[in-house]
Amino acid sequence: MTTSTVKQNELNKLRATLDRLQNEKLDLQIALITSNEHGDLLQEHLYRLGTSLTAEVQERQAAEERLQTLVQAITREKGDLEILVQILIDQGDNSAEEGEKARVDGLTQIANRRRFDEYLLQEWARHARIQQQLSLLICDVDHFKLYNDHYGHQAGDECLKSVAKAIAQCVRINDLVARYGGEEFAVVLPHTDREGAVRVAERARSAVAAAALAHAASPVCGQVTVSIGVGCRTPQPRDATDSRTLIEEADRNLYLAKHRGRNRVTHQD
């Protein structure tokens, strides 16, 4: 092989190598350009993502602040409502207590005439619906004026307290003992026939006698006694709001008990 041939071969190899290097350079340039473009896209995406996350964080912080403000407002309102509810409860308790006091006799601490009228009307109407017997006792302290004249009004008040206590011990939980007026007491006996009412009346009369309250001015005996009139009716629907007949019967029998010598129970046979 001649020298010129060798040189030509070497030249061809160098040209081939140069072409390959130029191609590789071109590929690297294209790859670099593509990489830069991808980097720009990635950076832009990361920027948008960061901006979005920042906005979301800010929005959540604002929402949390609003929620905290709302919670604080609700807490304040809850406290105000609790105070208001307590005030209303206290006022209701006071009103109920005042209403209850308005129906209690200040001296004897049993029901007063107002409570008696309400309860009797209520039970009269109820017994008219269920068609059962309702009984009433009217009790009168015998010769109480003479007691006051002899012992004084303060002693008279203590006497009425003792009589009220003695009568109240003879009744059931649903019965009502009330101060009817002055030295008179009334007992409402729901679901009670005449015979049962007479038994209660006799127990009440005996309980007052057993209290052994001295009454030196009494023409009946030397201690406080009571006369009791018994009334018993089965209310009729047409008279559901009129309990006068029951009161009139008990009052009439009380008059008879006094007329017959006092310290006794009188009822219609």
Side-chain angles (χ1 to χ4, degrees), residues 98-160:
E98 291 174 1
E100 187 65 25
K101 287 181 179 179
R103 290 164 173 77
V104 174
D105 179 61
L107 176 64
T108 61
Q109 294 303 302
I110 60 175
N112 60 12
R113 178 62 181 268
R114 176 181 177 182
R115 176 57 179 150
F116 165 79
D117 289 338
E118 291 175 348
Y119 190 74
L120 180 60
L121 183 60
Q122 167 192 315
E123 290 302 307
W124 183 266
R126 187 169 71 87
H127 283 68
R129 292 195 302 272
I130 63 178
Q131 282 297 282
Q132 290 191 13
Q133 291 178 308
L134 176 67
S135 292
L136 172 67
L137 312 181
I138 297 183
C139 316
D140 184 80
V141 180
D142 294 326
H143 299 294
F144 186 69
K145 183 179 184 304
L146 297 179
Y147 187 96
N148 271 339
D149 292 342
H150 184 80
Y151 294 101
H153 289 281
Q154 186 172 354
D157 289 344
E158 294 302 319
C159 173
L160 292 177

Side-chain angles (χ1 to χ4, degrees), residues 148-185:
N148 271 339
D149 292 342
H150 184 80
Y151 294 101
H153 289 281
Q154 186 172 354
D157 289 344
E158 294 302 319
C159 173
L160 292 177
K161 291 180 184 178
S162 298
V163 171
K165 182 178 180 180
I167 296 174
Q169 292 174 345
C170 301
V171 300
R172 304 163 300 185
I173 189 171
N174 290 328
D175 300 335
L176 179 77
V177 179
R179 189 177 180 191
Y180 191 64
E183 67 273 19
E184 287 188 335
F185 299 88

